[in-house]
């Protein structure tokens, strides 16, 4: 399996890959999310509508809680009000997940 980027470990990479694969099952061919740092998740060029976007984030929170044994909230006031959204691309989301895990006392190195 391709690694999203070198700053995340294999466990988190696998979680991200699994969630993106699950999201892609609901998308039409030609509109599937690429497993790439540059894959656009939010905005006009994203294949996700607002419901699909929120559903994807819920899938991530569920998968993270299942894998790390505690609830992980990706959609908090800080993330939603950030000048530069952590949800723009798959790469920025991966960074946000890492930061959130660390803030929750999970060393994901």
């Amino acid at each position: 399996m391709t690694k999203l980027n070198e700053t995340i470990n294999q466990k988190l990479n696998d979680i991200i890959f699994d969630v993106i694969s699950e999201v892609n099952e609901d998308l039409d061919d030609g509109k599937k999310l690429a497993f790439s740092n540059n894959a656009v998740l939010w905005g006009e060029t994203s294949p996700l509508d607002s419901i699909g976007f929120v559903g994807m984030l819920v899938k991530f929170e569920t998968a993270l809680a299942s894998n790390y044994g505690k609830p992980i909230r990706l959609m908090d006031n800080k993330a939603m009000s950030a000048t530069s959204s952590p949800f723009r691309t798959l790469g920025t989301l991966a960074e946000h997940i890492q930061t959130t895990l660390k803030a929750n006392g999970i060393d994901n190195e």
Side-chain angles (χ1 to χ4, degrees), residues 48-90:
L48 300 171
D49 60 16
S50 57
I51 293 172
F53 174 76
V54 171
M56 177 195 65
L57 291 178
V58 169
K59 288 177 194 230
F60 270 112
E61 289 181 346
T62 301
L64 292 166
S66 175
N67 278 276
Y68 293 104
K70 65 192 292 188
I72 304 295
R73 297 211 38 183
L74 298 175
M75 299 176 281
D76 59 13
N77 288 337
K78 183 178 177 184
M80 300 307 280
S81 64
T83 304
S84 183
S85 172
F87 308 115
R88 292 182 323 276
T89 66
L90 194 52

Side-chain angles (χ1 to χ4, degrees), residues 35-53:
F35 190 67
S36 159
N37 279 318
N38 298 322
V40 177
L41 303 176
W42 184 250
E44 288 184 30
T45 60
S46 171
L48 300 171
D49 60 16
S50 57
I51 293 172
F53 174 76

Side-chain angles (χ1 to χ4, degrees), residues 12-25:
L12 182 54
N13 189 79
D14 292 347
I15 293 168
I16 293 170
F17 182 84
D18 290 346
V19 171
I20 294 303
S21 296
E22 185 179 344
V23 169
N24 278 339
E25 290 175 7

